[in-house]
PDB file of all heavy atoms in Angstrom:
ATOM      1  N   ILE A  68     -22.563  -0.111   6.573  1.00 97.00           N
ATOM      2  CA  ILE A  68     -23.682   0.810   6.413  1.00 97.00           C
ATOM      3  C   ILE A  68     -24.514   0.861   7.678  1.00 97.00           C
ATOM      4  O   ILE A  68     -24.950   1.939   8.114  1.00 97.00           O
ATOM      5  CB  ILE A  68     -24.532   0.441   5.153  1.00 97.00           C
ATOM      6  CG1 ILE A  68     -23.705   0.791   3.915  1.00 97.00           C
ATOM      7  CG2 ILE A  68     -25.844   1.167   5.180  1.00 97.00           C
ATOM      8  CD1 ILE A  68     -24.312   0.271   2.613  1.00 97.00           C
ATOM      9  N   ARG A  69     -24.753  -0.274   8.289  1.00 97.00           N
ATOM     10  CA  ARG A  69     -25.541  -0.320   9.541  1.00 97.00           C
ATOM     11  C   ARG A  69     -24.794   0.443  10.623  1.00 97.00           C
ATOM     12  O   ARG A  69     -25.390   1.257  11.350  1.00 97.00           O
ATOM     13  CB  ARG A  69     -25.758  -1.747  10.010  1.00 97.00           C
ATOM     14  CG  ARG A  69     -26.570  -1.855  11.328  1.00 97.00           C
ATOM     15  CD  ARG A  69     -26.737  -3.263  11.783  1.00 97.00           C
ATOM     16  NE  ARG A  69     -25.567  -4.092  11.779  1.00 97.00           N
ATOM     17  CZ  ARG A  69     -24.589  -4.051  12.726  1.00 97.00           C
ATOM     18  NH1 ARG A  69     -24.666  -3.201  13.704  1.00 97.00           N
ATOM     19  NH2 ARG A  69     -23.557  -4.865  12.624  1.00 97.00           N
ATOM     20  N   GLU A  70     -23.495   0.261  10.697  1.00 98.00           N
ATOM     21  CA  GLU A  70     -22.694   0.974  11.716  1.00 98.00           C
ATOM     22  C   GLU A  70     -22.654   2.477  11.423  1.00 98.00           C
ATOM     23  O   GLU A  70     -22.632   3.288  12.338  1.00 98.00           O
ATOM     24  CB  GLU A  70     -21.293   0.366  11.798  1.00 98.00           C
ATOM     25  CG  GLU A  70     -21.321  -1.031  12.429  1.00 98.00           C
ATOM     26  CD  GLU A  70     -19.985  -1.706  12.473  1.00 98.00           C
ATOM     27  OE1 GLU A  70     -18.994  -1.147  11.976  1.00 98.00           O
ATOM     28  OE2 GLU A  70     -19.925  -2.822  13.023  1.00 98.00           O
ATOM     29  N   HIS A  71     -22.659   2.853  10.136  1.00 98.00           N
ATOM     30  CA  HIS A  71     -22.717   4.285   9.833  1.00 98.00           C
ATOM     31  C   HIS A  71     -23.967   4.889  10.425  1.00 98.00           C
ATOM     32  O   HIS A  71     -23.971   6.022  10.933  1.00 98.00           O
ATOM     33  CB  HIS A  71     -22.756   4.489   8.309  1.00 98.00           C
ATOM     34  CG  HIS A  71     -21.427   4.284   7.628  1.00 98.00           C
ATOM     35  ND1 HIS A  71     -21.333   4.225   6.268  1.00 98.00           N
ATOM     36  CD2 HIS A  71     -20.195   4.108   8.098  1.00 98.00           C
ATOM     37  CE1 HIS A  71     -20.079   4.006   5.925  1.00 98.00           C
ATOM     38  NE2 HIS A  71     -19.356   3.948   7.035  1.00 98.00           N
ATOM     39  N   GLY A  72     -25.090   4.171  10.380  1.00 97.00           N
ATOM     40  CA  GLY A  72     -26.324   4.634  10.965  1.00 97.00           C
ATOM     41  C   GLY A  72     -26.178   4.879  12.443  1.00 97.00           C
ATOM     42  O   GLY A  72     -26.714   5.864  12.986  1.00 97.00           O
ATOM     43  N   GLU A  73     -25.519   3.988  13.159  1.00 97.00           N
ATOM     44  CA  GLU A  73     -25.300   4.131  14.589  1.00 97.00           C
ATOM     45  C   GLU A  73     -24.439   5.378  14.858  1.00 97.00           C
ATOM     46  O   GLU A  73     -24.742   6.131  15.778  1.00 97.00           O
ATOM     47  CB  GLU A  73     -24.630   2.890  15.146  1.00 97.00           C
ATOM     48  CG  GLU A  73     -25.465   1.620  15.078  1.00 97.00           C
ATOM     49  CD  GLU A  73     -24.670   0.367  15.422  1.00 97.00           C
ATOM     50  OE1 GLU A  73     -23.607   0.475  16.112  1.00 97.00           O
ATOM     51  OE2 GLU A  73     -25.116  -0.711  15.042  1.00 97.00           O
ATOM     52  N   MET A  74     -23.406   5.571  14.061  1.00 97.00           N
ATOM     53  CA  MET A  74     -22.544   6.724  14.218  1.00 97.00           C
ATOM     54  C   MET A  74     -23.372   8.018  13.952  1.00 97.00           C
ATOM     55  O   MET A  74     -23.182   9.000  14.670  1.00 97.00           O
ATOM     56  CB  MET A  74     -21.383   6.691  13.222  1.00 97.00           C
ATOM     57  CG  MET A  74     -20.361   5.669  13.493  1.00 97.00           C
ATOM     58  SD  MET A  74     -19.124   5.731  12.142  1.00 97.00           S
ATOM     59  CE  MET A  74     -18.803   3.965  11.981  1.00 97.00           C
ATOM     60  N   TRP A  75     -24.193   7.985  12.933  1.00 98.00           N
ATOM     61  CA  TRP A  75     -24.955   9.155  12.544  1.00 98.00           C
ATOM     62  C   TRP A  75     -25.848   9.624  13.687  1.00 98.00           C
ATOM     63  O   TRP A  75     -25.975  10.821  13.953  1.00 98.00           O
ATOM     64  CB  TRP A  75     -25.801   8.831  11.314  1.00 98.00           C
ATOM     65  CG  TRP A  75     -26.080  10.070  10.498  1.00 98.00           C
ATOM     66  CD1 TRP A  75     -27.166  10.904  10.669  1.00 98.00           C
ATOM     67  CD2 TRP A  75     -25.300  10.604   9.427  1.00 98.00           C
ATOM     68  NE1 TRP A  75     -27.072  11.922   9.712  1.00 98.00           N
ATOM     69  CE2 TRP A  75     -25.960  11.740   8.972  1.00 98.00           C
ATOM     70  CE3 TRP A  75     -24.120  10.195   8.822  1.00 98.00           C
ATOM     71  CZ2 TRP A  75     -25.436  12.505   7.921  1.00 98.00           C
ATOM     72  CZ3 TRP A  75     -23.624  10.961   7.775  1.00 98.00           C
ATOM     73  CH2 TRP A  75     -24.295  12.111   7.341  1.00 98.00           C
ATOM     74  N   GLN A  76     -26.459   8.671  14.409  1.00 96.00           N
ATOM     75  CA  GLN A  76     -27.278   9.029  15.568  1.00 96.00           C
ATOM     76  C   GLN A  76     -26.468   9.732  16.644  1.00 96.00           C
ATOM     77  O   GLN A  76     -26.916  10.762  17.194  1.00 96.00           O
ATOM     78  CB  GLN A  76     -27.941   7.798  16.159  1.00 96.00           C
ATOM     79  CG  GLN A  76     -29.009   7.177  15.290  1.00 96.00           C
ATOM     80  CD  GLN A  76     -29.541   5.905  15.867  1.00 96.00           C
ATOM     81  OE1 GLN A  76     -29.124   5.382  16.875  1.00 96.00           O
ATOM     82  NE2 GLN A  76     -30.560   5.354  15.195  1.00 96.00           N
ATOM     83  N   LEU A  77     -25.273   9.239  16.914  1.00 97.00           N
ATOM     84  CA  LEU A  77     -24.406   9.886  17.877  1.00 97.00           C
ATOM     85  C   LEU A  77     -23.940  11.260  17.401  1.00 97.00           C
ATOM     86  O   LEU A  77     -23.944  12.244  18.180  1.00 97.00           O
ATOM     87  CB  LEU A  77     -23.216   9.009  18.179  1.00 97.00           C
ATOM     88  CG  LEU A  77     -23.490   7.700  18.932  1.00 97.00           C
ATOM     89  CD1 LEU A  77     -22.230   6.855  19.045  1.00 97.00           C
ATOM     90  CD2 LEU A  77     -24.094   7.948  20.290  1.00 97.00           C
ATOM     91  N   MET A  78     -23.617  11.378  16.100  1.00 98.00           N
ATOM     92  CA  MET A  78     -23.227  12.666  15.576  1.00 98.00           C
ATOM     93  C   MET A  78     -24.356  13.671  15.674  1.00 98.00           C
ATOM     94  O   MET A  78     -24.140  14.843  16.037  1.00 98.00           O
ATOM     95  CB  MET A  78     -22.749  12.524  14.127  1.00 98.00           C
ATOM     96  CG  MET A  78     -21.446  11.813  13.996  1.00 98.00           C
ATOM     97  SD  MET A  78     -20.758  11.836  12.311  1.00 98.00           S
ATOM     98  CE  MET A  78     -21.995  10.907  11.418  1.00 98.00           C
ATOM     99  N   LEU A 101     -18.717   7.343  20.666  1.00 98.00           N
ATOM    100  CA  LEU A 101     -18.485   7.439  19.220  1.00 98.00           C
ATOM    101  C   LEU A 101     -17.091   6.941  18.869  1.00 98.00           C
ATOM    102  O   LEU A 101     -16.903   6.192  17.906  1.00 98.00           O
ATOM    103  CB  LEU A 101     -18.657   8.875  18.733  1.00 98.00           C
ATOM    104  CG  LEU A 101     -18.448   9.140  17.247  1.00 98.00           C
ATOM    105  CD1 LEU A 101     -19.347   8.245  16.373  1.00 98.00           C
ATOM    106  CD2 LEU A 101     -18.659  10.643  16.931  1.00 98.00           C
ATOM    107  N   LEU A 104     -17.100   3.158  18.935  1.00 98.00           N
ATOM    108  CA  LEU A 104     -17.772   2.620  17.757  1.00 98.00           C
ATOM    109  C   LEU A 104     -16.885   2.783  16.522  1.00 98.00           C
ATOM    110  O   LEU A 104     -16.771   1.874  15.722  1.00 98.00           O
ATOM    111  CB  LEU A 104     -19.109   3.375  17.549  1.00 98.00           C
ATOM    112  CG  LEU A 104     -19.949   2.943  16.338  1.00 98.00           C
ATOM    113  CD1 LEU A 104     -20.242   1.445  16.336  1.00 98.00           C
ATOM    114  CD2 LEU A 104     -21.243   3.723  16.323  1.00 98.00           C
ATOM    115  N   ARG A 107     -14.160   0.047  16.604  1.00 98.00           N
ATOM    116  CA  ARG A 107     -14.667  -1.268  16.156  1.00 98.00           C
ATOM    117  C   ARG A 107     -14.935  -1.272  14.652  1.00 98.00           C
ATOM    118  O   ARG A 107     -14.598  -2.241  13.964  1.00 98.00           O
ATOM    119  CB  ARG A 107     -15.960  -1.628  16.926  1.00 98.00           C
ATOM    120  CG  ARG A 107     -15.733  -1.979  18.378  1.00 98.00           C
ATOM    121  CD  ARG A 107     -16.976  -2.529  19.033  1.00 98.00           C
ATOM    122  NE  ARG A 107     -18.145  -1.675  18.944  1.00 98.00           N
ATOM    123  CZ  ARG A 107     -18.473  -0.700  19.753  1.00 98.00           C
ATOM    124  NH1 ARG A 107     -17.647  -0.392  20.756  1.00 98.00           N
ATOM    125  NH2 ARG A 107     -19.542   0.026  19.559  1.00 98.00           N
ATOM    126  N   CYS A 147     -26.799   9.493   5.787  1.00 96.00           N
ATOM    127  CA  CYS A 147     -26.455   8.141   5.426  1.00 96.00           C
ATOM    128  C   CYS A 147     -27.683   7.259   5.290  1.00 96.00           C
ATOM    129  O   CYS A 147     -28.753   7.597   5.810  1.00 96.00           O
ATOM    130  CB  CYS A 147     -25.460   7.571   6.452  1.00 96.00           C
ATOM    131  SG  CYS A 147     -26.135   7.132   8.054  1.00 96.00           S
ATOM    132  N   GLN A 149     -28.723   4.470   6.598  1.00 94.00           N
ATOM    133  CA  GLN A 149     -29.449   3.997   7.792  1.00 94.00           C
ATOM    134  C   GLN A 149     -30.079   5.110   8.580  1.00 94.00           C
ATOM    135  O   GLN A 149     -30.947   4.848   9.430  1.00 94.00           O
ATOM    136  CB  GLN A 149     -28.506   3.176   8.664  1.00 94.00           C
ATOM    137  CG  GLN A 149     -28.121   1.848   8.041  1.00 94.00           C
ATOM    138  CD  GLN A 149     -29.332   0.928   7.922  1.00 94.00           C
ATOM    139  OE1 GLN A 149     -30.030   0.617   8.897  1.00 94.00           O
ATOM    140  NE2 GLN A 149     -29.585   0.465   6.716  1.00 94.00           N
TER     141      GLN A 149
END
Side-chain angles (χ1 to χ4, degrees):
I68 289 171
R69 180 182 47 77
E70 291 177 357
H71 286 170
E73 295 171 20
M74 290 176 219
W75 206 271
Q76 291 176 356
L77 293 174
M78 289 188 294
L101 180 57
L104 180 55
R107 288 189 306 274
C147 73
Q149 290 294 305

